[in-house]
């Protein structure tokens, strides 16, 4: 005599359903019914990092990362990447003196908010008509994130910036990248934050430590962002740090 298999409670069945785009964003149609995967979240994170220099706190990328983590833990994740297939955009506009960021997947908006440039980079642009160089962007990071202890992610970003500025593929002895790498290595062996070397100590005179310099481009910023993210366990950039300052400088240069 065959026995009936016990039925899972409906609440438990519901709990295993993946979080979809329509559950967390005001979207419709086919997109609303698509589950959010880690690949979707990574695509939006990359777009935000390139456009903003960081992951916006509480923004679409952060929401998607949380949803993707829940889906993964539920075992309800598929391997798709709707964001990659439909394309993501992070666009900027000035409205009544406010800097508005709009993020979209395909043609549907998933986030809109007001942001400001890192004050140090904006101040550099207001100080003259010349465009911001890599050395100046690094010095801007010394102002906006000067109290941050130097970590490996910072050293990697600074090295990428030095390579972009000089065109040389090796670390320059006594240069800003060598200084940053030495600080990161020493800080890793130092227990108290107050005893660690800070970004301000390394980057305050970055322009003078670069034998060559150049105006920051979007490609430069993308290279530095990638270096910082790859060496950061949480795969994010530091607000006002090296990658953020480079991204802000590239945007400002583009608008000159």
């Amino acid at each position: 005599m065959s026995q009936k298999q016990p039925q899972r409670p409906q609440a438990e069945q519901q709990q295993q359903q993946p979080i979809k785009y329509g559950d967390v964003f005001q979207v419709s149609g086919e997109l609303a019914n698509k589950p959010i995967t880690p690949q979707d979240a990574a695509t939006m994170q990359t777009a935000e990092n390139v456009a903003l220099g960081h992951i916006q706190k509480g923004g679409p990328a952060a929401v998607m990362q949380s949803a993707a983590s829940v889906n993964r833990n539920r075992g309800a994740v598929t391997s798709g990447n709707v964001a990659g297939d439909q394309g993501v955009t992070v666009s900027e506009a000035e409205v009544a003196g406010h800097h508005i960021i709009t993020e979209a997947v395909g043609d549907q908006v998933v986030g809109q908010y007001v942001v400001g440039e890192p004050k140090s980079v904006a101040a550099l642009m207001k100080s003259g008509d010349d465009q911001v160089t890599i050395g100046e962007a690094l010095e801007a990071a010394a102002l906006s994130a000067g109290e941050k202890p130097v970590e490996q992610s910072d050293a990697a970003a600074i090295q990428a910036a030095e390579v972009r500025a000089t065109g040389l593929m090796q670390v320059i002895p006594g240069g800003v990248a060598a200084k940053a790498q030495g600080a990161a290595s020493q800080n890793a062996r130092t227990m108290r934050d107050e005893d660690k070397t800070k970004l301000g100590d390394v980057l305050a005179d970055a322009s003078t430590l670069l034998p060559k310099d150049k105006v920051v481009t979007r490609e430069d910023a993308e290279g530095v962002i990638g270096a910082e993210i790859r060496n950061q366990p949480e795969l994010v950039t530091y607000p006002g740090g090296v990658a953020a300052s480079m991204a802000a400088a590239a945007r400002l240069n583009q608008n000159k």
Side-chain angles (χ1 to χ4, degrees), residues 155-201:
I158 293 167
Q159 181 177 343
E162 182 182 86
V163 168
R164 292 276 178 171
T166 64
L168 303 174
M169 298 307 296
Q170 71 272 16
V171 173
I172 301 169
V176 65
K179 194 174 176 182
Q181 187 57 63
S185 298
Q186 181 62 41
N187 285 350
R189 301 190 294 270
T190 304
M191 294 297 295
R192 301 194 309 168
D193 279 354
E194 54 265 37
D195 296 330
K196 294 180 179 180
T197 303
K198 310 298 194 298
L199 273 179
D201 302 323

Side-chain angles (χ1 to χ4, degrees), residues 6-18 74 76:
Q7 296 288 322
R8 287 187 177 185
Q10 188 173 353
E12 184 179 346
Q13 288 181 335
Q14 180 67 26
Q15 197 175 36
Q16 302 307 311
Q17 293 299 311
R74 288 179 178 177

Side-chain angles (χ1 to χ4, degrees), residues 10-81:
Q10 188 173 353
E12 184 179 346
Q13 288 181 335
Q14 180 67 26
Q15 197 175 36
Q16 302 307 311
Q17 293 299 311
I19 297 174
K20 302 180 178 69
Y21 276 88
D23 297 326
V24 293
F25 299 122
Q26 293 294 320
V27 295
S28 59
E30 185 180 354
L31 179 62
N33 294 318
K34 293 292 186 181
I36 299 174
T37 70
Q39 292 87 351
D40 290 313
T43 299
M44 186 60 82
Q45 285 177 335
T46 299
E48 282 191 9
N49 268 311
V50 169
L52 308 177
H54 63 277
I55 301 298
Q56 179 67 24
K57 185 176 181 181
V63 171
M64 290 169 69
Q65 182 58 58
S66 297
S69 296
V70 171
N71 286 345
R72 183 175 57 243
N73 292 337
R74 288 179 178 177
V77 173
T78 64
S79 58
N81 184 358

Side-chain angles (χ1 to χ4, degrees), residues 94 97 116-132 136 248-249 252-253 256:
E94 293 294 331
E117 300 289 359
K119 292 181 181 178
S120 53
V121 175
L124 278 173
M125 289 300 292
K126 291 175 183 176
S127 66
D129 293 330
D130 293 337
Q131 294 189 310
V132 179
E136 289 172 332
L252 290 168
N253 285 345
K256 287 292 283 185

